[in-house]
Structures are given as structure tokens and as C-alpha cells.
């Protein structure tokens, strides 16, 4: 155990010293809050109407948690009637409609990838409430033909990130095999309840992507490198894109620190002036980081 920890520290320090990207070390960031253990596996986050919304991934309850954006306190629990949480990984939003991505796929074997849509309840003062599913969309990836188990964290068809933009849902894969991400599109207004996600483009993020958000014409992707590559967390910012392709414009990469110190960065929400990052509880060797909420000034990224 001790040798593994020392090796991890050495490798991470080496990678950090070699990095030429911008750096914002969240381990020293002043605006950090520990989240409730009730959401220790926070996986997606969205901002709407002066509140944050998140949930737990992989086998958690089919619940959305409404948070105080100033400190991460749980204000309301929203039960999603009729939904199952096989592996919820991300939230996207259009107005007061939330899209819940049940498409975690670490083994690359799922043929039941699902997106639920719900409308957020209007009553803000009720501690526990519920909401029905508005629509259920099932999909597969256009370029996946092999669904055999390749082993844990080997597949290029895992997914933990998507956004709503210009009438479509845009998914960004978590490619364990090569640390890239592929951008896929789904037609939100199609009458088909089973769709094929269309492959649009691929970008070398040099890490696995775990969350996404878009504000006006700025796309943000968050993720981290595998632990044998240092366990480093990153944010990518894409601007000046066109023709439905996010990766044909400008890109900027920012290093956020070691996941062992800042938590496993899973989600990002962007507003006009703020960026909210949530990370799930992190336990690695002798390291521990609680489930966390970071509140950044947007100018810092």
C-alpha cells in the first residue's frame, strides 16, 4: 500500500511538472464545500433558476437533488416516477425540462442506453416531491457493432456527458481505450423512441470525459486521466465553433489538480459568471476526498 502511494505521488508530480497547460489547483481553491453523504456519488450537475440539480450514479435511487448553489446544501429531493437508475451519469437542460442520461457503460455491453426527460416541479418549498417521466428515449451508438465484454474501463463506448444545443442532444463519449472523446448527435424531436446516435467528430482530450455543459456558444468538458497516468483532472473549453462541430474552433485545456486531493471530478455547470464543479467521494490508497462542490469565477477558466 505504501509503495503504491509513493509511486502515485511521484508519477503525479512528474506529470504536473511536465504539463504545459493552464493550471487552476482546486486543492487550494477557497470556495469548496463538502456535499452530503446522501450524494456521495454526485455524477451530473445542472443550474436552473438560481439552484443546482444533481443525482447519484450507478444503482442510486431515481432521485434528483436540488441544491443551494452557495454551499451545496440539499433543499429538495425529487423522485422520478417510473424511472430506474441503472447508471445515471449526466443531466442536460432545455428551459425547465431536464434530460437524465442513464448511459453509463463501463463494460461497453449495454443495449439499453436511455435518456429520460422530466419537468422540474414548480413548488420550491416542499422537501420531498415527485415528478413523472415526460419521455423516454433509447439509443445505441452508430459505430458500435461489438457489444462483448472487453473488460472494465477498456471500451470506447462509455458515456457520461451530454448537452442540449440548437434542438439536439449532443453526447460526448468516455473513451477508456484511447483517452479521446467522440461527439454524437440525437434528434430530440424525432418520434422514434429508439434512435442511433450519429457520430459527428472526435477530439483528443487526453483524458476520459465525465461531464459537459454549454453556455451560449461556449462548450465545457470535464474529466480526468487514468490513475496509472497520474489521476489528473482537467477542463476543456471550446469556442468559435461552427457547422454543428464543436471541435473545429478554438480549444483551451486547464489542469485542475489530482483527483486524490480534489475528489473525482464528474460534472460541470456553467452560468454567465460562475462555473460549478462537483466531484464524487474519492478513496485511493491513503488518500481521501469528500464529495465536493467548487464554485469558480468564470473568468478563471
Amino acid at each position: 500500500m505504501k509503495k503504491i502511494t509513493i509511486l502515485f505521488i511521484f508519477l503525479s508530480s512528474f506529470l504536473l511538472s511536465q504539463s504545459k497547460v493552464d493550471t487552476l489547483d482546486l486543492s487550494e481553491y477557497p470556495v469548496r464545500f463538502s456535499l452530503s453523504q446522501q450524494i456521495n456519488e454526485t455524477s451530473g450537475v445542472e443550474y436552473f433558476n438560481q439552484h443546482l440539480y444533481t443525482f447519484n450514479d450507478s444503482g442510486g435511487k431515481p432521485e434528483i437533488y436540488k441544491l443551494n448553489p452557495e454551499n451545496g446544501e440539499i433543499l429538495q429531493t425529487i423522485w422520478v416516477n417510473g424511472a430506474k437508475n441503472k447508471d445515471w451519469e449526466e443531466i442536460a437542460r432545455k428551459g425547465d425540462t431536464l434530460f437524465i442520461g442513464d448511459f453509463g457503460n463501463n463494460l461497453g455491453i449495454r443495449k439499453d442506453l436511455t435518456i429520460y426527460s422530466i419537468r422540474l416541479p414548480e413548488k420550491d418549498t416542499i422537501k420531498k416531491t415527485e415528478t413523472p417521466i415526460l419521455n423516454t428515449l433509447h439509443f445505441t451508438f452508430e459505430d458500435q457493432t461489438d457489444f462483448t465484454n472487453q473488460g472494465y474501463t477498456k471500451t470506447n463506448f462509455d458515456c457520461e456527458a451530454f448537452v442540449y444545443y440548437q434542438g439536439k442532444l449532443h453526447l460526448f463519449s468516455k473513451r477508456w481505450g484511447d483517452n479521446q472523446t467522440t461527439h454524437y448527435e440525437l434528434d430530440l424531436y424525432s418520434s422514434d423512441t429508439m434512435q442511433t446516435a450519429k457520430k459527428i467528430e472526435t477530439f483528443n482530450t487526453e483524458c476520459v470525459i465525465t461531464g459537459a455543459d454549454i453556455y451560449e456558444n461556449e462548450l465545457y468538458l470535464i474529466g480526468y486521466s487514468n490513475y496509472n497516468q497520474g489521476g489528473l483532472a482537467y477542463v476543456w473549453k471550446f469556442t468559435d465553433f461552427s457547422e454543428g462541430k464543436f471541435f473545429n474552433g478554438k480549444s483551451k485545456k486547464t489542469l485542475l489538480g489530482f483527483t486524490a486531493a480534489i475528489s473525482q471530478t464528474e460534472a460541470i455547470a456553467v452560468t454567465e459568471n460562475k462555473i460549478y464543479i462537483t466531484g464524487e467521494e474519492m478513496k485511493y490508497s491513503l488518500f481521501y476526498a469528500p464529495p465536493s462542490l467548487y464554485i469558480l469565477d468564470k473568468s478563471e477558466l
Side-chain angles (χ1 to χ4, degrees):
M1 182 75 75
K2 186 175 181 181
K3 289 181 179 179
I4 293 174
T5 302
I6 293 172
L7 178 62
F8 176 81
I9 294 172
F10 174 80
L11 179 59
S12 298
S13 299
F14 173 78
L15 291 171
L16 186 57
S17 68
Q18 297 298 307
S19 176
K20 296 180 181 179
V21 300
D22 291 346
T23 301
L24 177 64
D25 188 355
L26 292 187
S27 68
E28 299 180 355
Y29 200 77
V31 190
R32 173 181 183 171
F33 299 94
S34 293
L35 296 173
S36 166
Q37 280 294 311
Q38 190 174 351
I39 44 174
N40 67 316
E41 292 191 351
T42 171
S43 190
V45 68
E46 187 59 76
Y47 182 92
F48 176 65
N49 199 18
Q50 300 181 341
H51 292 95
L52 294 173
Y53 294 86
T54 189
F55 51 64
N56 286 314
D57 66 10
S58 188
K61 296 179 180 179
E63 294 178 335
I64 304 290
Y65 304 98
K66 180 179 179 180
L67 308 182
N68 182 335
E70 296 182 358
N71 58 20
E73 176 191 1
I74 297 176
L75 301 176
Q76 186 181 55
T77 300
I78 305 167
W79 180 273
V80 182
N81 273 334
K84 294 182 179 180
N85 184 346
K86 184 167 184 177
D87 196 355
W88 290 11
E89 290 290 355
E90 175 69 301
I91 313 177
R93 181 179 65 84
K94 176 194 176 188
D96 64 353
T97 298
L98 284 187
F99 304 100
I100 303 168
D102 188 344
F103 41 46
N105 192 24
N106 282 331
L107 299 177
I109 62 175
R110 288 186 64 180
K111 296 182 180 180
D112 60 348
L113 303 174
T114 301
I115 296 173
Y116 299 109
S117 60
I118 65 169
R119 183 161 291 118
L120 289 170
E122 295 181 359
K123 296 181 180 180
D124 293 334
T125 58
I126 301 175
K127 286 289 185 179
K128 292 187 177 182
T129 187
E130 57 186 47
T131 192
I133 297 171
L134 296 178
N135 186 57
T136 303
L137 188 159
H138 302 288
F139 71 95
T140 57
F141 294 109
E142 179 182 50
D143 53 335
Q144 182 176 12
T145 58
D146 184 359
F147 293 87
T148 58
N149 187 345
Q150 302 297 321
Y152 185 69
T153 67
K154 301 292 185 182
T155 182
N156 283 336
F157 296 99
D158 196 1
C159 188
E160 294 192 7
F162 75 144
V163 298
Y164 168 82
Y165 184 68
Q166 294 186 345
K168 295 181 179 180
L169 293 175
H170 301 264
L171 291 78
F172 303 94
S173 62
K174 185 180 184 183
R175 293 176 57 141
W176 292 100
D178 57 16
N179 280 336
Q180 300 187 50
T181 191
T182 297
H183 166 207
Y184 297 87
E185 282 185 1
L186 287 170
D187 184 357
L188 184 59
Y189 299 107
S190 171
S191 60
D192 296 333
T193 57
M194 182 66 188
Q195 290 192 38
T196 300
K198 181 181 178 182
K199 182 179 179 179
I200 305 299
E201 56 187 336
T202 297
F203 186 85
N204 185 13
T205 48
E206 301 173 335
C207 64
V208 291
I209 295 303
T210 57
D213 200 15
I214 194 164
Y215 184 83
E216 295 184 348
N217 293 311
E218 296 178 342
L219 173 70
Y220 294 79
L221 301 180
I222 193 167
Y224 53 82
S225 63
N226 290 331
Y227 301 122
N228 59 2
Q229 297 170 322
L232 301 174
Y234 297 96
V235 166
W236 282 92
K237 178 181 177 181
F238 299 90
T239 56
D240 297 336
F241 43 79
S242 61
E243 300 177 350
K245 295 183 178 181
F246 297 113
F247 304 145
N248 67 3
K250 297 178 181 178
S251 62
K252 178 185 177 183
K253 182 181 182 182
T254 301
L255 172 64
L256 301 178
F258 308 131
T259 54
I262 67 175
S263 72
Q264 187 167 292
T265 48
E266 290 286 332
I268 186 167
V270 183
T271 70
E272 181 179 4
N273 300 310
K274 298 290 184 181
I275 293 178
Y276 300 90
I277 293 172
T278 62
E280 71 176 50
E281 184 176 46
M282 177 70 184
K283 298 177 181 179
Y284 182 83
S285 188
L286 301 181
F287 295 94
Y288 175 76
S292 299
L293 168 67
Y294 297 91
I295 306 173
L296 285 60
D297 289 329
K298 195 174 181 181
S299 59
E300 296 181 276
L301 291 179

